[in-house]
Amino acid sequence: DAFVTDGTCATIGGVCTLRAAIEEATARPACGPAVIDFSGVSSPITLGKALPDISHNTNFNGPGVDQLTVAHSTATGTADFRILAFNSGVTATVSGLTISGGRFGSGGGGISNSGMLTLANSKISGNNNSNGIGNGGGISNSGTLNITFSTVSGNTGGSGGGGIYNTGTLSVTNTTISGNLAGTTGPGGGISNSGTAVVTNSTIS
């Protein structure tokens, strides 16, 4: 963001990017929860480098999983990074988005959450632990995570939790978790849990 305290999401070139929106939200914590609305944004949003961690209460409102994907660049030489990381103390929501292609060694290829996150009507797909030994190819959660009406599929964890690796508090409702792998054999492919997890009206395969 060109001027991170002016209340306007704009780069020096006058464009509101996802990176600029996060920077603007982070710089104005006294203004209450930030809302990043993706209405009218063309899919996909392709990231060439890591976004800033989310350190301020923020709601990401997407138009729908079939309409907008936030994805890691497939360009040769692009560094490994996860798509979204929510810091401790943050309350946030992600809705109506597909998160894809993230890769991070120590956990949470797609999303890492240490705060209080609600994931609704979204899809976490095709993310992985790039070093082959991390946990949580799709999502790594050490905070509080509520997942509703979403899909977690096709993610790969290095050693556990191909879909979700949970050491915090996890609630999964009306959600499909399928086709995720841990390592090469698949144990713990859906959810690897050493915290508290409650799964209701959901499919895990």
Side-chain angles (χ1 to χ4, degrees):
D1 193 77
F3 304 100
V4 293
T5 59
D6 65 355
T8 300
C9 171
T11 64
I12 293 176
V15 178
C16 181
T17 65
L18 177 54
R19 187 180 310 278
I22 293 172
E23 290 173 348
E24 186 68 38
T26 301
R28 307 177 76 237
C31 296
V35 177
I36 298 177
D37 190 283
F38 294 89
S39 298
V41 177
S42 298
S43 184
I45 296 174
T46 303
L47 305 175
K49 61 180 181 179
L51 293 167
D53 288 0
I54 313 304
S55 58
H56 177 62
N57 296 347
T58 305
N59 299 323
F60 295 82
N61 297 341
V65 296
D66 296 329
Q67 298 183 54
L68 183 60
T69 297
V70 182
H72 193 294
S73 173
T74 58
T76 301
T78 304
D80 291 351
F81 56 84
R82 59 173 58 97
I83 305 299
L84 291 172
F86 297 88
N87 290 346
S88 177
V90 168
T91 299
T93 64
V94 173
S95 63
L97 290 176
T98 291
I99 303 296
S100 181
R103 51 183 194 261
F104 196 78
S106 60
I111 293 176
S112 173
N113 175 57
S114 300
M116 182 174 291
L117 174 63
T118 296
L119 181 68
N121 300 297
S122 292
K123 183 176 183 179
I124 312 299
S125 179
N127 305 281
N128 69 81
N129 293 131
S130 55
N131 64 6
I133 58 174
N135 296 301
I139 302 171
S140 178
N141 175 59
S142 60
T144 299
L145 175 61
N146 300 306
I147 305 177
T148 64
F149 295 100
S150 295
T151 300
V152 181
S153 66
N155 304 285
T156 303
S159 56
I164 303 170
Y165 181 71
N166 177 58
T167 59
T169 300
L170 173 66
S171 174
V172 179
T173 308
N174 296 310
T175 289
T176 297
I177 300 174
S178 65
N180 303 285
L181 296 175
T184 57
T185 58
I191 298 176
S192 178
N193 176 54
S194 59
T196 300
V198 177
V199 179
T200 307
N201 296 329
S202 298
T203 300
I204 301 177
S205 61

